[in-house]
């Protein structure tokens, strides 16, 4: 049965849903017409899944709402998986994968393993978003202990491609036992900082070799390597300490945001 949209009916249907007294017909009506918060839409979607009511239209609406509001939602991957199976709009698919790749790579959000498989499937169709998805895939596999040799060949090609573009990220070192990573990368100590790419990030550091000589902080701007991932590399020798703090300057002024001491282990400690 076709039901026309009626604002009062939508309100009554949602009230009925919230009361827990709903059926397939109520869910079908809400799937078609209800507009609300992402949290409310997800609750309706979850109920539709439990009732085995098709919810493709709602899934697309949830995904678009996540993208337009730029709100990271962990449960968004579950919705995307169902949406992906039903002849989805490829533009929405690409936008979703790029957005979640960015959140994983730059904002360190945790993602379900399955999302990386979708990134791999769609990678060659991602156009301008290929690099962010590719780096997210590489970052994920840098944490995986067992990876097949054929896939590692792809990893090696991509790592070398990024390095040729001047994009060198700390997790590249994790592949050094499986693919060729230049010694000058493997031997480096990386300081990594994530923020708005428009901000100026400055590192203030002392390399302490435990000598008695007085030392003062050296100040250098950190390089924005990719989408707000700022990196500074150092060569540390055994027993040498790197003491640093980071300042960040943006539209609201400048502040100290991070400080740390890194000690290069001696051969006996390794």
């Amino acid at each position: 049965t076709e039901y026309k949209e009626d604002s009062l009916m939508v309100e009554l249907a949602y009230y009925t849903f919230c009361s827990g007294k709903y059926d397939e017909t109520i869910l079908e009506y809400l799937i078609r017409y209800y507009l609300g918060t992402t949290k409310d839409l997800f609750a309706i979607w979850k109920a539709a899944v439990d009732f085995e009511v098709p919810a493709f239209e709602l899934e697309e609406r949830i995904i678009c709402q996540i993208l337009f509001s730029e709100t990271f939602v962990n449960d968004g991957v579950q919705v995307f998986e169902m949406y992906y199976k039903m002849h989805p709009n490829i533009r929405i698919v690409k936008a979703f994968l790029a957005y979640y790749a960015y959140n994983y790579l730059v904002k360190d959000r945790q993602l379900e393993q399955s999302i990386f498989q979708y990134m791999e499937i769609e990678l060659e169709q991602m156009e301008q978003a290929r690099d962010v998805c590719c780096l997210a895939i590489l970052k994920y596999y840098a944490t995986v202990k067992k990876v097949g040799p054929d896939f590692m060949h792809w990893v090696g090609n991509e790592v070398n491609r990024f390095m040729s573009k001047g994009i060198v990220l700390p997790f590249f070192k994790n592949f050094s036992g499986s693919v060729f990573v230049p010694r000058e990368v493997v031997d480096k100590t990386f300081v990594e900082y994530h923020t708005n790419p428009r901000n100026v990030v400055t590192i203030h550091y002392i390399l302490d070799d435990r000598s008695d000589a007085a030392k003062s902080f050296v100040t250098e701007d950190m390089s924005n390597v990719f989408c707000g991932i700022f990196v500074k590399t150092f060569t540390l020798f055994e027993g040498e300490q790197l003491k640093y703090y980071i300042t960040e300057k943006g539209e609201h002024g400048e502040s100290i945001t991070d400080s740390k001491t890194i000690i290069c282990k001696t051969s006996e400690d390794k």
Side-chain angles (χ1 to χ4, degrees):
T1 304
E2 288 289 335
Y3 296 96
K4 293 182 179 180
E5 183 178 7
D6 179 281
S7 58
L8 179 59
M9 286 294 294
V10 173
E11 203 171 315
L12 289 172
Y14 185 66
Y15 176 80
T16 303
F17 172 77
C18 291
S19 301
K21 300 174 182 178
Y22 56 87
D23 57 13
E24 291 88 344
T25 303
I26 295 291
L27 288 172
E28 288 172 355
Y29 193 78
L30 290 172
I31 287 168
R32 178 165 295 183
Y33 298 121
Y34 182 74
L35 300 175
T37 66
T38 305
K39 181 180 179 182
D40 293 342
L41 293 177
F42 182 78
I44 295 169
W45 175 80
K46 193 77 172 64
V49 171
D50 292 341
F51 272 73
E52 297 183 351
V53 175
F56 178 83
E57 188 175 351
L58 178 60
E59 289 158 2
E60 187 166 274
R61 194 151 71 247
I62 291 172
I63 292 170
C64 289
Q65 192 156 305
I66 288 172
L67 295 174
F68 283 119
S69 64
E70 295 188 349
T71 303
F72 181 85
V73 180
N74 286 319
D75 295 324
V77 175
Q78 298 176 42
V79 177
F80 175 81
E81 288 180 326
M82 294 293 286
Y83 176 73
Y84 189 82
K85 296 174 183 177
M86 300 298 293
H87 305 291
N89 182 316
I90 190 61
R91 292 178 63 187
I92 294 174
V93 167
K94 291 192 290 188
F96 181 87
L97 293 176
Y99 180 65
Y100 272 64
Y102 171 80
N103 273 274
Y104 174 73
L105 181 68
V106 180
K107 296 191 175 182
D108 291 322
R109 301 280 194 176
Q110 294 303 305
L111 298 182
E112 296 180 33
Q113 179 182 349
S114 60
I115 196 69
F116 300 104
Q117 297 171 351
Y118 295 114
M119 290 181 196
E120 290 174 41
I121 292 169
E122 299 294 339
L123 188 61
E124 299 310 319
Q125 314 301 321
M126 292 303 294
E127 300 172 345
Q128 296 96 330
R130 186 187 188 282
D131 278 358
V132 69
C133 286
C134 187
L135 285 170
I137 294 169
L138 290 173
K139 180 181 177 180
Y140 169 71
Y141 279 103
T143 67
V144 176
K145 292 183 179 180
K146 292 184 179 180
V147 181
D150 291 340
F151 191 77
M152 286 309 299
H153 178 72
W154 176 86
V155 167
N157 288 338
E158 291 300 323
V159 167
N160 286 322
R161 183 177 69 86
F162 281 113
M163 288 193 297
S164 70
K165 295 167 63 174
I167 299 173
V168 181
L169 297 177
F171 63 81
F172 286 4
K173 294 172 65 174
N174 293 17
F175 297 120
S176 62
S178 304
V179 302
F180 173 74
V181 179
R183 177 58 58 186
E184 58 266 27
V185 173
V186 176
D187 289 343
K188 293 289 186 181
T189 295
F190 288 80
V191 175
E192 182 179 2
Y193 185 82
H194 297 193
T195 190
N196 187 327
R198 291 189 292 270
N199 290 354
V200 177
V201 178
T202 305
I203 187 168
H204 312 259
Y205 66 89
I206 292 175
L207 287 174
D208 187 357
D209 57 6
R210 298 184 181 179
S211 66
D212 295 330
K215 297 182 181 293
S216 57
F217 280 94
V218 177
T219 299
E220 295 181 13
D221 287 343
M222 295 180 69
S223 299
N224 178 12
V225 175
F226 188 83
C227 290
I229 302 176
F230 290 79
V231 174
K232 172 66 179 171
T233 59
F234 296 90
T235 300
L236 298 185
F237 300 100
E238 287 189 359
E240 197 169 30
Q241 291 187 4
L242 169 65
K243 299 178 181 178
Y244 71 86
Y245 67 94
I246 292 173
T247 56
E248 178 180 344
K249 186 176 182 180
E251 58 180 331
H252 300 298
E254 185 174 16
S255 60
I256 297 175
T257 56
D258 191 21
S259 63
K260 195 173 182 180
T261 298
I262 298 175
I263 301 174
C264 185
K265 295 180 180 180
T266 63
S267 55
E268 289 79 9
D269 295 328
K270 293 179 181 179

